[in-house]
Every structure is written in C-alpha cells, then in structure tokens.
Amino acid sequence: MSGTEDQGRAPGNGDGTRAVRAGLPEPVAYEPTLPGPVFAAHFHLPGEPTGPYTYGRDENPTWTHLERAIGELEAPGEDGVETLVFASGMAAAASVLFSQLRAGDAVVLPSDGYQALPLVRAQLEAYGIEVRTAPTGGDAQLGVLDGAKLLWIETPSNPGLDVCDIRRLVEAAHARGARVAVDNTLATPLGQRPLELGADFSVASGTKQLTGHGDVLLGYVSGRDGEAMAAVRRWRKIVGAIPGPMEAWLAHRSLATLQLRVERQNATALVLAEALRDRPEELGVRYPGLPGDPSHKIAAQQMRRYGCVVSFTLPTRARAERFLEALRLVDDATSFGGVRSTAERRGRWGGDAVPEGFIRMSVGAEDPEDLVADVLRALDASDQ
C-alpha cells in the first residue's frame, strides 16, 4: 500500500467490514479513530530529508490513510499494490496516459468512453502519440492492439454501458507487450477489481459512487508495478495534480458507507431497469445487471455488482427534456453515483455518440418504490 506509516489494522473479509475499517491507523488512546485532515504545506525537516513527509505536494498523512483504504478495496489482502490519489478523475487518468507514453508510441482508447477522451486524444496526438480507437462492446479493441504500448479500457462504458472481457484483453495486450489501464469508475472496487483480473492500473474518479455525496472532486490510480507507479507518482509531482487534505478526509469518511450505498443503489437500479424494460414503449434500456442485456453475460463473469447507472432512449430531444422537467425526485444534473438520483440528456454535452433523446440516469438511495413511481409518472407525463 502507499505510504510509510504503520499499515494499520487488517480489515475483515466482508465488503462492509472492509469499507468501514479500511485505511484506519493503529488505535492510539484518546485520539480519533480517523485522524482529521492535516493542513500543511511543509513539515519540520531537520537534517537530510529522509522522513515520510517533507513537502505538501509530495505527501500528506491524510492522503496516506485514504490511499491505503482505497488500496485495500481494490486489492484486498494483496501486498505490493500502491495507490495514489489525485485532484480529480481526469487528473488520475492523465497521469497514467502521459507518464506511460512517449512520442512515437501508440495507445488504444475506447471510441465510446467518457466524453472528455476526445480532448485527451487531441493532446496525445499533439505530443506525437498515435491514438487508435474501437468500441468497448465485442472486445473490438483487440483489433487495433498490435504495436500499442498502452490499452485503455472503460468497462462498463460511460454512458452506453457496454462491457468488454477484461481478462481476455489483458492477456492479449500483455502478449503484445502493452500495459493495460481500466477505468473502474462506474463499477467501483465493490463491483469489479481490475487488478485481480490482470490489469496493470485501476483508475477511477472518486467523485462518483466511491465518495457518493456529490461534494468531492477526487481521482486515484492503483497499480502493482513499482516502476510504472513511480512514473505516475512523478507525474503527479510535476503537474501538482494533488487533492486538498479536506477533500481526501471527506473521501475517506465517505468510504465507510460505500457498501451500504452500493447495495441500495445497485438493487434499486435493477428494479428501475426492469420497470423500464417492461413498459409497452421500446426504450432501449441498458443495464448490465439485466439478464437480457447485451453486456450481461460478460459482466456476470467479471463483475460482483453492476453499478447504479441505467440508460434508455426517448424518441426525441423534446420528449427527453419534458421527461426531465417532469421528474420530482431526480435532479437534472451531470455526474453519477450520488445518494440523490440524477438524470440528464447526455447529448447536450456534444462529446458522446448518442441519440438526442438518450437519458443517463444515476440511481440514488431513495426508496425504490418512490423512485420508480416518479420515473414512470414522468414518462407518462412527457408523452402527452
């Protein structure tokens, strides 16, 4: 795990136990179980700088606790896995891409991934890096893998919710000498553990379901290759893409309820997906947990939970906007994974290849019957 302090108490085997206790230090009499945030730009530093904390851009005790906690969730019981936290999910993603690639290298990205990836592609190409793309579904990235140095997987994809076979792609990439990074944002470590499936990096936006309250921007990278992670750490130091101590502390505090939130949100997401699927109008509902979903077979092989995001498509932009306006328990907002349900017409951003009426819905922690009733009522109201 990251950091140089004591490794803390070993968590139990259950996801709830692990989430509640992950990253906590050894107990000290009359001290808090989770120490408060350390606000320090510099530390006492007599003599040679050999201690664990020297300067606030390099390390912070609050980061250390959080990094250990995330590492325990991403790779429970495994030694040698390092986790680094960042100021945002995009900072984490950029740290892997720009620390592992050089001019003349080739990278494979998903063509249907997060809508900021086209911006990343433009920057990579400006640095002389060849960028190839293919869809997530059908393991299509295999077809453009030869000669690449890095394969970037996003599964389930955002917003289309397609799934690829991580084990298969990892084996193919490693056989060709490429490293593999998996964007694990939508699944979270409780839904999927890319490192256990062979990936070199597990990357995620902690802004989403990991922290779950819509009040923290955060990202992280977990990996077991020391040389590769050293390059990621060096990139973080160079660009200063570090989280504030308060954000790191809030994130660690939020991990304690991760299992509770995930169980509730994912269970409700399945109930909602089933209700949408059973409507007489064809909505093109996508959710990896639905047995009939195109992604379900592979998802069931590699995912332990299927996430809190459901997508569907209304026939027109106007209908989608009427639907969103009619909702009462769901906020029209971007992002996903929060305890309050959100939905948006994803095409409004312009970066996703989706129909104008495509809706991405993030299921929160409301009572399932209340949420489903609100969504169905809004669908009926918008069809007038």
Side-chain angles (χ1 to χ4, degrees):
M1 305 299 171
S2 175
T4 55
E5 295 181 345
D6 64 83
Q7 291 301 306
R9 294 167 289 183
N13 292 325
D15 285 340
T17 303
R18 185 175 291 112
V20 167
R21 309 209 69 86
L24 297 182
E26 289 290 346
V28 176
Y30 313 114
E31 293 292 328
T33 55
L34 176 61
V38 175
F39 299 101
H42 56 81
F43 301 82
H44 288 296
L45 196 62
E48 294 299 316
T50 57
Y53 303 108
T54 58
Y55 185 62
R57 191 178 70 251
D58 298 332
E59 288 288 355
N60 178 288
T62 310
W63 303 352
T64 299
H65 295 310
L66 175 60
E67 288 169 343
R68 287 181 184 154
I70 294 173
E72 289 169 11
L73 297 177
E74 283 281 350
E78 183 175 343
D79 294 328
V81 171
E82 181 177 10
T83 297
L84 300 170
V85 291
F86 290 80
S88 69
M90 281 307 301
S95 76
V96 173
L97 291 163
F98 291 104
S99 71
Q100 304 300 309
L101 297 167
R102 302 287 183 273
D105 290 340
V107 61
V108 177
L109 302 179
S111 59
D112 54 346
Y114 180 53
Q115 56 103 5
L117 286 180
L119 299 176
V120 174
R121 175 177 187 162
Q123 193 62 55
L124 289 167
E125 291 176 337
Y127 289 157
I129 296 165
E130 178 189 354
V131 179
R132 308 169 188 168
T133 62
T136 299
D139 298 342
Q141 289 174 296
L142 287 173
V144 293
L145 191 54
D146 285 351
K149 187 173 182 181
L150 180 68
L151 168 62
W152 186 274
I153 294 171
E154 184 177 306
T155 180
S157 62
N158 173 28
L161 301 180
D162 278 320
V163 171
C164 61
D165 188 332
I166 295 177
R167 288 186 184 91
R168 183 185 181 203
L169 267 67
V170 165
E171 289 175 2
H174 287 173
R176 292 164 171 80
R179 286 192 169 117
V180 180
V182 177
D183 184 333
N184 203 38
T185 302
L186 200 146
T188 81
L190 269 60
Q192 177 173 272
R193 294 186 180 127
L195 299 182
E196 290 183 355
L197 299 172
D200 301 285
F201 304 99
S202 181
V203 187
S205 168
T207 308
K208 312 298 194 299
Q209 196 172 22
L210 189 82
T211 57
H213 292 80
D215 55 7
V216 173
L217 286 173
L218 192 89
Y220 71 86
V221 179
S222 292
R224 63 168 58 88
D225 184 295
E227 181 180 353
M229 289 301 294
V232 174
R233 179 184 289 273
R234 184 167 59 251
W235 182 264
R236 181 178 72 172
K237 178 175 181 176
I238 290 169
V239 302
I242 59 173
M246 190 67 193
E247 286 77 9
W249 184 86
L250 285 169
H252 197 169
R253 175 217 59 180
S254 298
L255 287 184
T257 61
L258 177 61
Q259 189 264 352
L260 296 172
R261 290 184 281 106
V262 163
E263 290 290 352
R264 175 61 170 261
Q265 291 172 257
N266 292 13
T268 305
L270 178 58
V271 171
L272 176 63
E274 291 171 338
L276 293 170
R277 177 201 61 193
D278 294 340
R279 281 182 67 85
E281 60 180 324
E282 175 54 50
L283 297 174
V285 180
R286 294 298 307 272
Y287 182 66
L290 279 175
D293 188 272
S295 294
H296 181 72
K297 182 177 180 181
I298 297 174
Q301 295 171 0
Q302 67 190 21
M303 298 184 73
R304 299 159 62 237
R305 298 174 176 89
Y306 298 108
C308 64
V309 176
V310 176
S311 71
F312 56 96
T313 303
L314 294 172
T316 64
R317 171 176 175 170
R319 170 82 186 279
E321 289 175 345
R322 291 197 302 272
F323 164 72
L324 293 169
E325 186 176 356
L327 291 166
R328 295 294 175 263
L329 296 179
V330 182
D331 296 328
D332 187 344
T334 194
S335 196
F336 57 84
V339 293
R340 289 172 290 278
S341 292
T342 60
E344 68 173 336
R345 191 182 65 80
R346 192 63 186 167
R348 64 182 175 178
W349 298 102
D352 297 310
V354 295
E356 286 287 348
F358 181 92
I359 300 292
R360 185 185 71 180
M361 176 164 289
S362 172
V363 174
E366 298 89 357
D367 287 302
E369 57 271 21
D370 291 339
L371 181 63
V372 171
D374 187 46
V375 171
L376 298 183
R377 181 198 52 77
L379 283 171
D380 290 339
S382 67
D383 197 24
Q384 303 303 316

